[in-house]
Amino acid sequence: MSQQQHSAVPDAAANEGPMGGVLIVDFGAQYCQLIARRVREMGVFSRITVPERAMFTLQHMRPKAIILSGGPRSVYAHDAPALDAAILEQGIPVLGICYGLQWMAQHTGGEVTPAKEGAEYGRTRLDVTDAEGLLAGVRQGGTVWMSHGDKVARLGQGFEVLAKSEPCPFAVVGNRTKGFYGLQFHPEVAHSEDGTRILQNFVRDIAGCPADWNPGDLAERKVAAIAQQVGDDGEVVMGLSGGVDSSVAAVLVHRAIGKRLHCVFVDNGLLRQGEREGVEELFRDHYHMDLKVVDASERFLGQLAGVTDPEQKRKIIGRVFVDVFRDEAKAFQKAHFLGQGTLYPDVIESVAAHGGATSTIKSHHNVGGLPEDLDMQLVEPLRDLFKDEVRLLGREIGLPSSLVDRQPFPGPGLAVRCLGEVTREKLEPLRGADAVVREEVEKNGLQAGLWQYFAVYVPQKTVGVKGDARVYEDICIVRLVSSQDAMTADWELLPADVLRRISNRILNEVAGFSRVCLDISSKPPATIEWE
Ligand code: XMP
């Protein structure tokens, strides 16, 4: 996400979505989204905002609790994120995590200094001195995960120690009267034992947030909101990719306005086997949606001809998609709304706290990529949901598991798995090999342990022998990875007989390969896709 895209959704996000819940102020923490997810997993709505906008968001959202995240800076640095200290005067309980604790100490009369010997990175044990309230049910000597260079040297007014750790005397502190608490460690990460318990004690018991956030119950509310936004005769045009997000969004919009939704599916010639047919069958035949399928493969492959640089390939595909979609959308003259499957991680107002855009590893392209000059109002029913919440919602509205639980497929499609120039001659065998990998994994019920499983075309000739003849053909790579969130990934093995069948079938059923290899690289340093 570029900074520009973030600033395109400035304060709008603050005054939409449910009221109450937990407001999380992002000081640039690596784990901010994890905090938000942990809170939602306990059935409480949470929203992330940047420090600069926290007071504005607070006024609209009226949270019942505030969490101040960790962050990479020092509270004394000249460029430390600026949060209005009035946030401590709202009568709302506040939990500061790491930097958040230090910020609270600094603004309540305490003192923060560089930690030197007090710096802690990694695991440490918690010595609980007060097992009431925030630390109720938290085990003595449990492991927690720290990562801080500064430390609180003197507590703020009214604070007392609730737990310490070696060498941190203020591991957990609290001011019960005000409802202010601070943790020097990260409760949101899985390595912190009882971390979820501590968050739950704060959110549910201390702040009294009711557990009334259930994405499963959302469908009807979403449908009503769409109907209200679009009105009695408004029309929506929407790009459908066949992925989870756009599918769930389309079904919700369709429930709200029926035939006034016009879906466009762009076949870019880079799809997997059966993908276009699957979309037609589900959305046109089953849901009876107005679905226009555009075969734009000539246009995409024409623009990609002769291009071998991965970044250039991605950019071309993104650009051509916008062009094609714009042309198609024009046909629906009465449609003043553009439907999109934008998710919460795409709109989180976090970029400023991180000090600008992080380094671009690959420029991602999604079907939701908005032609900015379309001048249409956005309908984005999923913009307050995380991916797993969208899956829940998808199940709730009856989408098949084959769609809701399907493996991610990148926007640029097979182009990023077809090394070098993308041509029909290479895409055809790649599609065949990919279908074999998918079929064998799914037939054997092995997909549950895998994040993605697919084939890659490497245009490097190697010698083989087929029949009695010598052949000189290309390489097919099989990529099987497990992952939680695609940020990191491990390579995986399948039972030998399944691997053997995959290899035999690719070499026998698909023309063009003389060799099948398995990619045993984790991410990092490799990425999941090959380009
Ligand atoms: P990498 O290859 O960066 O991929 O490890 C991480 C995850 O992102 C998917 N991916 C994309 N998804 N548009 C998408 O919608 C893209 O341009 C894109 N590139 C990579 C990839 O499949 C993996 O799940």
Side-chain angles (χ1 to χ4, degrees):
M1 267 273 138
S2 69
Q3 226 164 340
Q4 197 189 353
Q5 277 166 301
H6 270 276
S7 58
V9 284
D11 298 325
N15 48 23
E16 50 182 57
M19 307 273 277
V22 180
L23 177 63
I24 299 163
V25 180
D26 180 7
F27 281 123
Q30 226 177 324
Y31 304 110
C32 204
Q33 286 198 28
L34 259 184
I35 305 174
R37 289 179 56 170
R38 294 277 175 270
V39 172
R40 288 194 184 189
E41 279 160 14
M42 58 183 90
V44 178
F45 180 68
S46 64
R47 156 158 286 142
I48 300 173
T49 190
V50 288
E52 294 83 343
R53 268 204 291 269
M55 288 306 289
F56 177 88
T57 309
L58 184 137
Q59 276 147 23
H60 286 279
M61 181 186 170
R62 307 225 187 103
K64 288 178 91 67
I66 296 167
I67 296 180
L68 308 179
S69 84
R73 306 253 161 75
S74 164
V75 289
Y76 291 119
H78 72 280
D79 58 351
L83 174 64
D84 189 342
I87 203 155
L88 297 175
E89 290 154 21
Q90 308 299 313
I92 302 173
V94 180
L95 174 69
I97 296 175
C98 197
Y99 181 99
L101 157 68
Q102 293 160 12
W103 183 91
M104 252 200 301
Q106 186 194 29
H107 288 84
T108 53
E111 192 186 355
V112 178
T113 57
K116 292 203 184 99
E117 21 2 300
E120 287 184 305
Y121 298 100
R123 287 153 205 252
T124 179
R125 295 200 174 278
L126 204 59
D127 177 8
V128 177
T129 53
D130 186 338
E132 303 277 302
L134 188 71
L135 300 183
V138 172
R139 77 198 78 176
Q140 185 62 263
T143 302
V144 293
W145 196 82
M146 300 241 185
S147 173
H148 62 109
D150 277 357
K151 65 170 186 187
V152 173
R154 190 182 68 237
L155 288 181
Q157 260 172 25
F159 279 85
E160 55 187 317
V161 176
L162 308 179
K164 31 190 197 176
S165 79
E166 191 55 48
C168 177
F170 304 135
V172 183
V173 300
N175 175 340
R176 281 206 177 83
T177 320
K178 296 245 184 202
F180 294 164
Y181 293 88
L183 308 172
Q184 189 54 77
F185 59 88
H186 291 270
E188 68 277 17
V189 301
H191 317 290
S192 283
E193 285 175 344
D194 297 324
T196 306
R197 177 73 196 242
I198 297 172
L199 284 174
Q200 187 151 358
N201 287 344
F202 174 70
V203 170
R204 301 274 287 116
D205 299 339
I206 293 171
C209 295
D212 56 3
W213 170 254
N214 175 5
D217 292 340
L218 274 181
E220 293 320 312
R221 264 187 285 153
K222 293 278 177 201
V223 169
I226 296 164
Q228 194 188 10
Q229 185 191 358
V230 176
D232 288 340
D233 52 5
E235 300 195 9
V236 178
V237 63
M238 184 158 187
L240 200 59
S241 71
V244 185
D245 311 337
S246 67
S247 300
V248 172
V251 171
L252 291 172
V253 177
H254 185 248
R255 275 202 187 172
I257 63 167
K259 287 284 183 199
R260 286 185 284 130
L261 166 67
H262 311 287
C263 288
V264 178
F265 176 80
V266 177
D267 182 347
N268 55 12
L270 306 165
L271 304 173
R272 291 170 296 181
Q273 204 170 79
E275 200 140 27
R276 171 173 166 171
E277 294 76 7
V279 166
E280 287 181 310
E281 195 179 299
L282 184 65
F283 295 98
R284 187 180 285 150
D285 303 345
H286 176 75
Y287 282 109
H288 303 295
M289 283 189 196
D290 176 28
L291 171 68
K292 181 167 185 183
V293 173
V294 185
D295 184 350
S297 51
E298 284 293 333
R299 207 160 152 183
F300 278 88
L301 296 179
Q303 293 283 318
L304 287 168
V307 181
T308 54
D309 175 63
E311 265 306 285
Q312 229 192 325
K313 280 160 72 172
R314 283 171 173 272
K315 292 215 164 91
I316 290 171
I317 295 164
R319 178 168 49 74
V320 177
F321 176 80
V322 169
D323 289 348
V324 172
F325 190 78
R326 185 194 287 113
D327 291 351
E328 295 303 324
K330 272 189 205 143
F332 303 105
Q333 291 204 341
K334 283 169 48 196
H336 298 304
F337 295 90
L338 180 72
Q340 294 205 125
T342 316
L343 299 189
Y344 189 47
D346 301 331
V347 298
I348 289 174
E349 308 159 319
S350 313
V351 81
H354 294 276
T358 48
S359 80
T360 304
I361 311 291
K362 299 173 185 180
S363 51
H364 276 213
H365 154 74
N366 295 306
V367 160
L370 165 70
E372 277 172 18
D373 55 356
L374 267 181
D375 193 25
M376 295 168 100
Q377 247 196 72
L378 293 181
V379 178
E380 297 180 305
L382 312 180
R383 65 182 273 130
D384 53 3
L385 302 181
F386 284 109
K387 186 88 178 188
D388 33 8
E389 295 176 320
V390 172
R391 291 214 165 93
L392 254 175
L393 185 56
R395 274 183 216 113
E396 182 77 12
I397 59 180
L399 280 166
S401 157
S402 56
L403 193 147
V404 173
D405 300 314
R406 73 176 220 160
Q407 57 170 327
F409 184 60
L414 296 180
V416 293
R417 300 174 182 171
C418 180
L419 306 200
E421 184 185 6
V422 182
T423 62
R424 284 189 196 277
E425 292 65 41
K426 283 155 77 181
L427 286 170
E428 204 44 44
L430 173 56
R431 217 169 255 133
D434 182 72
V436 169
V437 175
R438 281 195 287 152
E439 237 174 80
E440 289 299 331
V441 167
E442 288 163 17
K443 196 168 71 189
N444 291 286
L446 298 165
Q447 68 272 30
L450 297 174
W451 173 266
Q452 276 171 290
Y453 41 101
F454 57 84
V456 180
Y457 191 112
V458 179
Q460 171 62 54
K461 302 281 181 223
T462 74
V463 174
V465 52
K466 286 189 179 173
D468 285 334
R470 175 186 194 275
V471 292
Y472 197 43
E473 293 177 318
D474 289 332
I475 303 174
C476 175
I477 303 285
V478 176
R479 182 83 166 128
L480 310 161
V481 297
S482 60
S483 175
Q484 293 291 317
D485 50 16
M487 301 293 286
T488 59
D490 274 330
W491 57 271
E492 294 293 335
L493 273 180
L494 296 179
D497 59 319
V498 180
L499 283 176
R500 193 169 294 117
R501 218 163 28 243
I502 288 176
S503 165
N504 284 343
R505 284 192 57 195
I506 292 176
L507 292 175
N508 287 300
E509 295 172 20
V510 182
F513 297 117
S514 57
R515 206 167 289 273
V516 176
C517 301
L518 188 63
D519 181 350
I520 52 169
S521 329
S522 60
K523 173 184 181 178
T527 52
I528 295 176
E529 304 291 347
W530 269 51
E531 282 194 342

